[in-house]
Amino acid sequence: MGAQGRKRSLLCLREGAEKTDLMRILTLIEGPGFHEDCVLGLKLCSDETACPMHTRWSPIKHKIVRLLHEQTLEKLAGAVKSGRYRLIDLPDGLVFVERHCTAP
């Protein structure tokens, strides 16, 4: 999978929708900061050197990360195809292009 730019993202799925989870896409586009960085932006924050929000944010963050790992593109597409959900008002610059990717 590859990504290009932050304002205009282009994702190329080599593994297929059944194996591509939302956490992988988020990490590709935004970097690992979402699940690694301190919620208050401190450089050093861990169980040993916790910020004031660490003990409250950590379990929530782990649940969100687990949810994003469990949601594959295939599952989301199935939910949209079922008619129960729909995608509207996609952010500017988000483009879905169906094509085959070549290895870098």
Side-chain angles (χ1 to χ4, degrees):
M1 179 184 307
Q4 178 183 15
R6 234 183 130 120
K7 290 229 178 217
R8 185 174 175 101
S9 298
L10 174 65
L11 296 176
C12 184
L13 307 177
R14 292 188 187 113
E15 293 81 17
E18 71 282 351
K19 293 182 181 176
T20 304
D21 63 61
L22 293 184
M23 191 65 215
R24 183 157 187 196
I25 294 171
L26 181 65
T27 302
L28 238 163
I29 294 171
E30 298 295 328
F34 172 76
H35 60 92
E36 292 179 3
D37 292 350
C38 171
V39 70
L40 295 181
L42 301 178
K43 291 182 181 181
L44 186 60
C45 184
S46 66
D47 291 338
E48 295 79 28
T49 59
C51 75
M53 287 295 296
H54 186 81
T55 57
R56 297 188 74 195
W57 172 244
S58 188
I60 296 167
K61 176 177 67 173
H62 289 297
K63 287 181 183 179
I64 293 170
V65 168
R66 185 172 53 243
L67 171 72
L68 293 172
H69 274 299
E70 291 170 357
Q71 290 302 312
T72 64
L73 291 179
E74 182 179 58
K75 288 179 185 177
L76 293 176
V80 172
K81 286 179 182 178
S82 75
R84 289 187 59 202
Y85 306 98
R86 62 187 181 151
L87 297 176
I88 59 170
D89 298 328
L90 293 174
D92 290 339
L94 186 62
V95 178
F96 290 101
V97 178
E98 188 172 337
R99 67 179 189 167
H100 295 285
C101 302
T102 57

